[in-house]
Amino acid sequence: MCVIVTKEINQKMPSKETLKQCFLANPDGCGFMYNYENEVYIEKGFMTFESFYARLKELDEQIGLKKRAVVFHFRISTSGLIDEGNCHPYPICNDIRVMRSTYLKCKDVAFCHNGIIRDYTPKSKLINDTQCFGIHVLDKFYELNHEFYKDKDICRMLKLLCKSKLCFLNSDGEIYYIGDFVDVKGNSCSNNYFTYYTKRRTSLNYLSH
């Protein structure tokens, strides 16, 4: 199962140990999104923990991530290729080429997903169910209301449609959740399965600081 980890504005960053636990348990690529200068930036397609963490440290030095909201996603593939373009997060749009971009910025909102949206399993082996859901559902709501993710009735509908968990980040640094998230060491996570995985299969001594 994938995992989403969030850091609200002025909240502490997840530790390197926590992030590595997430990656080890969900090794099919990762990405993150953050607010900066009234836009949402997406950086994804990190297929090794080393490349991901090196970029995160570099970005922190450049813009100071503590004062940003940051949403991380670590993937286990359930549909679509295991490649950079199928890593989350995604912009809300109807262009698969844009959704598969590994570096982009959005004017107002982006999202990621945890779970399997079985009713939107794609026919193509290239893309995944989250991208299909984004194109066929989220983009339609976005056309009607650019802040649909703030509407409680729409969120209840989306929860019924996807039967899983969604996370939205807007350009103001506000994070919105669909589905139950749990606290893990001060950060909200879509599940805590990654903690059991690493305890069972990995020595925490291996997770260097």
Side-chain angles (χ1 to χ4, degrees), residues 1-59:
M1 178 178 285
C2 302
V3 65
I4 301 166
V5 180
T6 71
K7 186 205 81 69
E8 304 274 357
I9 290 175
N10 293 325
Q11 183 183 18
K12 67 177 183 179
M13 288 284 286
S15 68
K16 183 178 182 181
E17 177 182 277
T18 294
L19 293 172
K20 192 157 190 178
Q21 287 175 326
C22 290
F23 190 91
L24 289 172
N26 303 274
D28 291 338
C30 67
F32 57 91
M33 55 184 172
Y34 54 95
N35 69 300
Y36 180 63
E37 295 187 338
N38 299 314
E39 293 182 298
V40 177
Y41 282 73
I42 295 174
E43 300 193 33
K44 66 180 185 181
F46 301 99
M47 307 308 286
T48 67
F49 180 79
E50 289 71 24
S51 63
F52 157 72
Y53 198 72
R55 175 54 186 155
L56 194 64
K57 287 200 301 182
E58 178 184 51
L59 186 64

Side-chain angles (χ1 to χ4, degrees), residues 163-176:
K163 300 180 179 68
S164 45
K165 302 179 185 184
L166 294 165
C167 184
F168 299 90
L169 172 67
N170 69 19
S171 56
D172 293 325
E174 298 170 330
I175 302 174
Y176 292 84

Side-chain angles (χ1 to χ4, degrees), residues 137-183:
V137 177
L138 299 184
D139 186 61
K140 306 308 179 189
F141 281 111
Y142 182 79
E143 288 178 358
L144 296 172
N145 177 3
H146 284 192
E147 294 188 334
F148 69 90
Y149 52 88
K150 295 183 179 182
D151 187 299
K152 292 181 179 179
D153 291 331
I154 291 176
C155 288
R156 280 194 289 267
M157 188 184 306
L158 290 174
K159 186 175 181 179
L160 290 172
L161 286 171
C162 73
K163 300 180 179 68
S164 45
K165 302 179 185 184
L166 294 165
C167 184
F168 299 90
L169 172 67
N170 69 19
S171 56
D172 293 325
E174 298 170 330
I175 302 174
Y176 292 84
Y177 304 89
I178 292 179
D180 296 328
F181 281 64
V182 297
D183 181 272

